Amino acid sequence: MTNSNQNSQPFTEETRLSQPRLKVIKLSRGITENFKDALKKFNVQAIEYKPFLRFHIANTLNELTNNKLGALLLDNLHNRLTGAILLECEGTSEEKTKSEDFIDFNILLSTAVSHLIGMPNLDSMSGKFYARFSVKNDDNSDSYLRQAHRRMELHNDGTYVQEKTDWVIMQKIIESNVEGGESLLLHLDDWTDLQKFYEHPLAKEKLQWSSPSSKNVNYKTTHPIFLDEDEDGKPIMSYIDQFVEPKNMEQGLYLYELGESLENDSATYSVKLNEGSMLIINNYFWLHGRDKFTANKNLHRELLRQRGVFN
Ligand SMILES: [Fe+2]
């Protein structure tokens, strides 16, 4: 279903039949080019050094869309029925060579988006408001984030930090020799066993969470799997398999069964991201993960993430 498909429109909105909760928004070629022109006097270093510039470029992008993009993103992210967006730019993924300009444009684009929907948290892994990282064929890191040959299981972000994590932006900047590795998304209300685990006595019990050294978070935190309900009284969740520390058999088995249930749920969306596109999700009622890749020694993917809060 295409709601708006005229060239004069700043963007199109589409919903795929098989993934009705995911809104696909594509910025028109004209808006993309105009935004690139407007960014010419700024570079990545400038927006890293001067936080107010991030709001300026966000406002510039919004004005190019007749002040519609920011409101549309927020409406979708707050709406329990949807809450996930795939944002693309018409034309950019067809560019043959991905130059430094392409990389810089995409960092600036996701910065504009994050400042239209709120404020990004400081990413302790990078020490900046965003983090870039690579996925390669071989990896010796201390979590599954960069490991290509295994599925990164469904989870929420921000489970081991004290600040709120209302939303997550996952952007693909460049990739080569990649087969597989699609993004995985599961809406909480589509999870078949939600009520079973939500009504379990351990659903609201505080558990302990910590993270490996690469995350640069030097404390442990505690919270339940199911946090307080949202405004509509529906469950919201904060779960990841790798960083929760069960203290007894009961907690361990609850977590094991919950993880198995999530991984086997058939309602999970598999989403292919083109270079330069990004997923923006409500982190409390969507779980996300990544499918495994087909082995290729030249496999390379550059990603960017931002996590933050609504204002
Ligand atoms: Fe994540």
Side-chain angles (χ1 to χ4, degrees):
M1 178 180 70
T2 301
N3 299 326
S4 157
N5 208 9
Q6 298 163 27
N7 288 336
S8 58
Q9 297 294 320
F11 52 79
T12 57
E13 294 172 57
E14 187 185 353
T15 307
R16 297 166 180 165
L17 277 178
S18 59
Q19 299 179 338
R21 294 187 190 275
L22 177 67
K23 176 83 79 180
V24 183
I25 298 175
K26 187 175 278 193
L27 296 179
S28 74
R29 197 176 293 260
I31 294 297
T32 305
E33 290 306 317
N34 289 343
F35 187 48
K36 276 185 188 167
D37 284 345
L39 292 175
K40 276 189 179 143
K41 43 184 187 164
F42 307 114
N43 57 31
V44 171
Q45 189 180 63
I47 60 151
E48 288 183 354
Y49 286 3
K50 299 184 191 178
F52 62 76
L53 280 183
R54 304 169 201 164
F55 291 96
H56 171 70
I57 64 168
N59 188 54
T60 300
L61 178 60
N62 205 34
E63 286 182 344
L64 286 169
T65 66
N66 306 320
N67 294 313
K68 288 183 176 157
L69 182 64
L72 177 68
L73 296 173
L74 281 171
D75 281 353
N76 270 281
L77 289 171
H78 283 298
N79 184 348
R80 179 80 183 200
L81 297 173
T82 56
I85 298 148
L86 172 58
L87 183 74
E88 302 179 318
C89 292
E90 193 181 5
T92 57
S93 67
E94 296 140 29
E95 290 173 22
K96 286 275 185 295
T97 47
K98 301 297 188 288
S99 62
E100 282 298 313
D101 284 351
F102 179 82
I103 295 169
D104 287 359
F105 169 73
N106 279 296
I107 297 171
L108 295 167
L109 175 66
S110 56
T111 299
V113 169
S114 65
H115 288 75
L116 283 179
I117 60 174
M119 266 298 282
N121 295 334
L122 180 74
D123 194 309
S124 50
M125 199 171 88
S126 66
K128 301 175 182 177
F129 66 95
Y130 69 92
R132 279 179 66 186
F133 52 94
S134 303
V135 178
K136 293 182 177 157
N137 207 54
D138 301 310
D139 177 80
N140 298 312
S141 62
D142 57 5
S143 79
Y144 292 149
L145 180 65
R146 303 179 189 81
Q147 296 185 11
H149 303 311
R150 49 165 302 129
R151 177 173 161 125
M152 184 160 61
E153 287 92 344
L154 290 164
H155 64 278
N156 307 98
D157 268 11
T159 53
Y160 54 85
V161 294
Q162 282 158 351
E163 65 260 32
K164 284 183 75 190
T165 308
D166 290 326
W167 49 258
V168 183
I169 296 175
M170 295 167 282
Q171 184 180 31
K172 182 179 290 177
I173 298 187
I174 47 174
E175 69 177 7
S176 50
N177 303 299
V178 168
E179 198 181 324
E182 288 81 8
S183 297
L184 303 173
L185 292 175
L186 177 64
H187 190 289
L188 218 47
D189 299 339
D190 292 338
W191 177 22
T192 311
D193 291 335
L194 171 64
Q195 287 308 318
K196 174 183 162 187
F197 289 99
Y198 181 54
E199 287 165 9
H200 191 282
L202 291 182
K204 291 288 185 87
E205 184 164 300
K206 281 191 174 176
L207 304 178
Q208 181 167 291
W209 308 78
S210 69
S211 56
S213 58
S214 66
K215 309 289 186 191
N216 298 326
V217 175
N218 57 7
Y219 58 80
K220 292 178 190 275
T221 185
T222 59
H223 61 78
I225 298 282
F226 291 98
L227 307 173
D228 294 335
E229 290 72 19
D230 70 7
E231 295 148 3
D232 303 325
K234 301 246 175 87
I236 58 172
M237 192 168 173
S238 183
Y239 162 78
I240 187 167
D241 52 354
Q242 294 177 70
F243 308 137
V244 59
E245 298 179 332
K247 291 284 182 211
N248 55 46
M249 180 67 78
E250 203 187 0
Q251 291 182 357
L253 294 183
Y254 174 70
L255 289 162
Y256 173 77
E257 286 173 22
L258 185 148
E260 287 291 296
S261 170
L262 287 172
E263 290 312 301
N264 290 308
D265 201 289
S266 59
T268 301
Y269 293 179
S270 174
V271 184
K272 183 172 166 44
L273 264 66
N274 293 319
E275 291 170 314
S277 62
M278 70 187 91
L279 284 169
I280 313 159
I281 58 168
N282 186 308
N283 182 51
Y284 288 124
F285 55 81
W286 280 94
L287 295 129
H288 65 276
R290 187 202 60 223
D291 219 341
K292 61 177 183 284
F293 297 80
T294 304
N296 182 327
K297 64 179 170 50
N298 296 317
L299 180 153
H300 181 212
R301 177 180 274 187
E302 286 282 329
L303 302 165
L304 183 149
R305 74 157 181 235
Q306 293 187 64
R307 308 188 273 218
V309 291
F310 296 125
N311 281 327

